[in-house]
Amino acid sequence: MSGSQKQTGESKPAQNKLWGGRFTGGLDPLMEAYNESLSLDKAFYAEDIDGSIAWARANKNAGILTEEEFKQIERGFEAVRKEWETDSFEIKPGVDEDIHTANERRLGEIIGPAIAGKLHTGRSRNDQIATDLRLWVRRKLLEIKDHLISLLKVIVSRAENDIDLLLPGYTHLQRAQPVRWSHWLLSYGSCFARDFRGLKYVIEELNYSPLGSGALSGNVFDIDRRAIAQELGFKDLCLNSMDAVSDRDFLLKTMGWGSDFMMHVSRIAQDLCIYSSQEFGFVKLADAYSTGSSLMPQKKNPDALELLRGKSGTMHGLHSGFRVALNSLPSCYNKDMQEGTSAILTTIHLLTTSTQILTGVLSTLSTSPAAMAHALEPSMLATELADYLVRKGVPFRETHHISGRVVGLAEKEGKGMDELTVAQLQGVDKRFESDVRGCFDYEAAVERRTAEGGTARGRVMEQVEALKVLLETGKVGG
């Protein structure tokens, strides 16, 4: 018999394990470590204490606890909270299975087991962890919301200040049409505005209280669940006790939102990686968000952007992985759900740091107007020639073909379209007149995009103002 097996046979569950009474044999030490979650869910210590105080108050109001017993529990938990806050809480390995066990064990040491032992009356760890998770995720998402607001403020500020800069807009990574640098910034501002609205929805959807649902069937002591929900800041109750203890949709919604957000982050990071390369040189990252090479001293690597891009993949994996863990589970609580703890902790850390890093990158990068202007080239104005003829009544499908022939002529002549003479243009189509020269002006081309959402100065400023409204009121269009 192995040492592990001997220990299993000889040991018994610790008395303060919340489930120990039915068992006569102990756990394999490997299973003990495999099962424990305190190393992760200790992050929820404050929420667990808040929920326990609210639960004790409800039990006092239901006549389960006396006023004095409740005061002792509240006093004891505030002492426990202080220990966590000062990093003086002593975890007892093999005894403290999770944050619920640890907090209740320590409460008993402070106020005595006679009173502390009444705390868990009518409550299960099933509704307890569901409550802790909702409270903790809500608090963290509100912090992320503040970081997202800071990111949007930087985008708005830079878009407003850099509105005169023009650069090529790209499709398929090919030069397409001239746009304002601010318009490019605001394209991501629009993405993050959608994320802002989506985050508000996620926070709203998780703000329901499961506490009082018990293990699955509800509470027999007629506690006031609504009073508990109000004390903990929930807007309403989870409707059904069986669903309440097993619902982890709010974690999936958080991770799903994180996947969408990080997809947008990865795209702006990719653009900036390209724009900061020596081949483009449109922007330069601050030293605070770059690193060098251990071999090549001339290198300045956009590590912050590459990490943002890479961590988006991590976020997608967390979301899909936990979704698979939940898929096809039977009803009510199952231990598989514990996998959500590590996933949500990583998710929140990743989203919090990524939002702050991107904000730092955007607020400190410098632009190169000269490099942007140098990248503009006449073939990007081919659509201007087509639109010129449209204004003369020529069908667009025909003007598109004519403009393509002008591009071909310029390539054949080895010169830019703006260097072709009016006579050469008229050789392609007689309807070109001397005013066609106005098509070869990048600023004018940009300013002709006057429809809402376009890159003309006035329309870009409207987008700036729309994001300002979002930041002030939380409301903005698509």
Side-chain angles (χ1 to χ4, degrees):
M1 181 179 291
S2 70
S4 172
Q5 290 171 319
K6 287 179 180 177
Q7 184 169 350
T8 302
E10 295 169 2
S11 64
K12 294 183 179 181
Q15 287 185 352
N16 65 328
K17 283 192 182 295
L18 303 184
W19 48 265
R22 178 252 185 268
F23 291 80
T24 57
L27 281 178
D28 183 309
L30 180 59
M31 178 57 191
E32 187 91 50
Y34 201 61
N35 183 58
E36 78 83 26
S37 62
L38 182 58
S39 57
L40 298 173
D41 58 32
K42 65 183 180 181
F44 315 143
Y45 77 84
E47 286 73 22
D48 193 71
I49 290 171
D50 290 340
S52 291
I53 292 174
W55 182 253
R57 193 188 316 277
N59 274 334
K60 182 257 296 184
N61 293 338
I64 304 300
L65 295 172
T66 67
E67 180 71 33
E68 179 58 28
E69 287 172 333
F70 167 72
K71 289 180 179 178
Q72 289 293 319
I73 288 172
E74 186 176 35
R75 176 187 64 80
F77 268 129
E78 291 306 330
V80 175
R81 188 196 305 272
K82 189 69 173 179
E83 290 183 0
W84 282 112
E85 290 174 346
T86 58
D87 199 26
S88 60
F89 186 98
E90 183 182 353
I91 294 172
K92 295 189 175 181
V95 175
D96 294 340
E97 181 181 336
D98 52 38
I99 188 60
H100 324 301
T101 311
N103 279 344
E104 188 171 330
R105 185 265 307 163
R106 183 62 182 133
L107 177 70
E109 292 173 351
I110 294 173
I111 68 172
I115 297 177
K118 294 184 178 183
L119 171 68
H120 207 59
T121 304
R123 184 172 65 166
S124 166
R125 287 186 297 177
N126 294 358
D127 60 345
Q128 194 173 356
I129 185 57
T131 304
D132 291 359
L133 281 167
R134 287 174 185 262
L135 291 172
W136 186 83
V137 173
R138 183 182 67 188
R139 175 165 64 87
K140 291 299 180 177
L141 288 184
L142 289 171
E143 293 174 5
I144 290 172
K145 179 183 172 184
D146 289 339
H147 295 316
L148 186 52
I149 288 172
S150 297
L151 172 61
L152 283 164
K153 284 181 177 179
V154 168
I155 290 174
V156 166
S157 176
R158 294 218 63 148
E160 200 166 21
N161 293 334
D162 297 343
I163 194 165
D164 293 328
L165 301 183
L166 304 184
L167 80 165
Y170 294 84
T171 64
H172 308 278
L173 267 183
Q174 306 297 310
R175 290 171 181 166
Q177 292 178 319
V179 296
R180 295 190 182 279
W181 162 251
S182 298
H183 198 221
W184 173 85
L185 276 172
L186 292 167
S187 72
Y188 286 105
S190 184
C191 290
F192 296 135
R194 288 197 301 276
D195 293 329
F196 183 84
R197 292 196 301 271
L199 181 57
K200 291 176 66 179
Y201 168 75
V202 171
I203 294 170
E204 181 179 342
E205 282 298 296
L206 69 78
N207 204 21
Y208 292 82
S209 175
L211 197 53
S213 297
L216 75 161
S217 61
N219 181 274
V220 300
F221 295 107
D222 197 29
I223 60 156
D224 188 344
R225 288 189 64 206
R226 292 195 177 276
I228 296 173
Q230 184 175 11
E231 179 172 345
L232 296 176
F234 289 113
K235 72 174 183 179
D236 209 340
L237 302 179
C238 294
L239 180 64
N240 177 281
S241 62
M242 294 177 73
D243 178 59
V245 298
S246 62
D247 174 21
R248 295 298 184 271
D249 290 2
F250 65 96
L251 294 184
L252 282 179
K253 284 184 171 66
T254 299
M255 295 176 201
W257 179 86
S259 291
D260 290 345
F261 173 69
M262 288 303 296
M263 175 184 65
H264 297 147
V265 169
S266 73
R267 294 186 68 185
I268 191 172
Q270 171 69 349
D271 276 0
L272 289 172
C273 276
I274 294 169
Y275 292 171
S276 64
S277 68
Q278 291 174 319
E279 285 73 17
F280 282 71
F282 296 167
V283 300
K284 182 178 180 181
L285 268 64
D287 289 349
Y289 298 98
S290 309
T291 66
S293 166
S294 62
L295 177 65
M296 299 166 284
Q298 82 279 11
K299 294 288 295 300
K300 184 176 182 179
N301 300 324
D303 283 24
L305 299 174
E306 293 169 353
L307 287 168
L308 288 170
R309 193 174 59 193
K311 288 181 183 298
S312 68
T314 301
M315 186 65 252
H316 300 324
L318 290 166
H319 181 215
S320 61
F322 188 53
R323 181 175 290 278
V324 171
L326 294 181
N327 189 57
S328 298
L329 286 184
S331 60
C332 299
Y333 182 82
N334 297 271
K335 202 59 173 278
D336 315 50
M337 296 174 184
Q338 187 167 294
E339 293 304 296
T341 302
S342 60
I344 196 61
L345 287 170
T346 305
T347 292
I348 293 297
H349 176 72
L350 188 155
L351 294 175
T352 301
T353 54
S354 296
T355 309
Q356 293 174 289
I357 290 293
L358 181 57
T359 302
V361 168
L362 289 177
S363 64
T364 58
L365 65 78
S366 57
T367 57
S368 175
M372 292 180 181
H374 182 72
L376 297 170
E377 51 95 16
S379 68
M380 298 171 61
L381 301 171
T383 307
E384 301 303 307
L385 289 179
D387 293 341
Y388 169 89
L389 292 174
V390 166
R391 294 186 184 95
K392 292 182 177 294
V394 184
F396 177 76
R397 284 302 171 202
E398 183 180 349
T399 68
H400 184 279
H401 180 71
I402 294 168
S403 179
R405 289 171 58 196
V406 172
V407 172
L409 175 61
E411 290 177 348
K412 181 180 178 181
E413 293 289 324
K415 59 179 66 173
M417 288 196 309
D418 59 334
E419 297 176 298
L420 296 175
T421 66
V422 174
Q424 285 176 304
L425 293 172
Q426 289 174 335
V428 175
D429 192 282
K430 295 293 186 183
R431 288 166 289 195
F432 284 121
E433 299 179 22
S434 59
D435 62 349
V436 72
R437 307 302 308 173
C439 292
F440 302 115
D441 183 312
Y442 299 112
E443 181 74 29
V446 166
E447 282 304 289
R448 278 190 280 269
R449 269 59 190 176
T450 55
E452 286 190 51
T455 195
R457 175 186 291 267
R459 294 308 190 184
V460 169
M461 288 307 301
E462 286 177 352
Q463 296 163 46
V464 167
E465 293 304 315
L467 289 184
K468 286 182 178 180
V469 170
L470 169 69
L471 294 172
E472 292 171 2
T473 67
K475 298 177 182 179
V476 71

